[in-house]
Amino acid sequence: MDGPSHPRTGVFAGIYDPVIAPFERLGLGGLRRETLRGLSGAVLELGVGTGRSLRSYPDSVSSVTGVDPDETMLDRAARRLPEAGMPVRLLRAAGEDLPFPDGSFDAVTAFLTLCTVQSQEAALREAWRVLAPGGELRLLEHVRVERKPLGRLQEALTPAWSRLAGGCHLDRRTLEGVSSVGFEVERIGRYLGGVVLRIHARRA
Ligand SMILES: C[S@@+](CC[C@H](N)C(=O)[O-])C[C@H]1O[C@@H](n2cnc3c(N)ncnc32)[C@H](O)[C@@H]1O
């Protein structure tokens, strides 16, 4: 693993795997595979976390670069390297400030991460920049829904939830964010009444 040393944020990383494991069995694992289906070439995963997605990349992917600002998460992801079927590089970096030249990747992916980055717009602009023209953005994210009672509840719960869940926001309008930085949205999968979206978009 390369990258400068960094204080560990620890607690959330420590409980992440046991908390997420039941959801993986209840369908999250299948949604990860569906999100990654058909990708090829060099892929960048934003907020790689404990490396839960590494085993789900198809054989057509030649390499995965996983970035995350949390070194404890990256340590746990490193334990999962043997599960990946291709070379994986792990790097400490934030999605808003990626240490890669323009056009470095064929695809950028993120799972449950654009809810947590400090600036979703900055992270999406960076994804655009490091993608080669024609490159793909694949996301699996929970989002704010527009239906009144639920959307309002998501907003009301976000401050407390964010403190409990490592900075996660329940009220991000991620699909709108993807379009607004210029990606062409090609496909959307909606789950749990539209609270979870699988977004396939392209840097045209
Ligand atoms: C809910 S976890 C998801 C982890 C993993 N993607 C998964 O699907 O299991 C959110 C991840 O986003 C990471 N993160 C937080 N701020 C970030 C940022 N600014 N840029 C990239 N990743 C970030 C966290 O460290 C954490 O690993």
Side-chain angles (χ1 to χ4, degrees):
M1 191 188 312
D2 18 7
S5 66
H6 186 258
R8 292 153 194 270
T9 50
V11 180
F12 181 64
I15 61 167
Y16 187 73
D17 269 333
V19 168
I20 203 82
F23 296 98
E24 301 284 347
R25 288 192 290 276
L26 285 169
L28 180 55
L31 289 181
R32 290 183 193 274
R33 288 191 289 282
E34 195 57 35
T35 304
L36 298 173
R37 193 187 301 279
L39 287 183
S40 58
V43 178
L44 170 67
E45 182 173 333
L46 304 176
V48 66
T50 61
R52 283 271 173 190
S53 295
L54 293 177
R55 67 163 66 164
S56 303
Y57 283 88
D59 292 344
S60 43
V61 166
S62 55
S63 67
V64 176
T65 300
V67 296
D68 202 292
D70 186 325
E71 202 149 326
T72 306
M73 287 287 197
L74 290 171
D75 284 349
R76 280 160 202 261
R79 295 181 203 162
R80 291 211 159 92
L81 294 185
E83 296 176 11
M86 67 285 302
V88 176
R89 178 170 59 140
L90 298 173
L91 205 70
R92 188 179 68 75
E96 296 91 333
D97 187 17
L98 294 171
F100 309 111
D102 297 359
S104 303
F105 296 97
D106 300 300
V108 173
T109 65
F111 298 84
L112 311 174
T113 288
L114 291 177
C115 51
T116 301
V117 297
Q118 276 187 3
S119 167
Q120 189 176 92
E121 185 187 343
L124 285 167
R125 286 197 188 286
E126 277 291 85
W128 170 277
R129 182 184 67 76
V130 302
L131 270 175
E136 292 204 59
L137 178 71
R138 298 280 184 92
L139 305 176
L140 185 71
E141 295 287 342
H142 61 81
V143 299
R144 186 200 190 282
V145 297
E146 293 311 320
R147 292 190 304 284
K148 279 250 164 69
L150 182 52
R152 292 263 166 85
L153 185 64
Q154 288 174 304
E155 281 181 359
L157 290 177
T158 286
W161 175 251
S162 190
R163 281 194 291 277
L164 286 174
C168 172
H169 295 72
L170 299 170
D171 58 353
R172 292 249 162 112
R173 290 181 164 93
T174 304
L175 181 58
E176 292 79 349
V178 167
S179 299
S180 74
V181 305
F183 283 102
E184 208 165 89
V185 176
E186 296 185 330
R187 201 179 311 165
I188 305 168
R190 294 176 200 274
Y191 311 94
L192 299 177
V195 171
V196 175
L197 297 185
R198 175 169 52 82
I199 300 171
H200 295 208
R202 193 177 291 276
R203 177 184 164 163

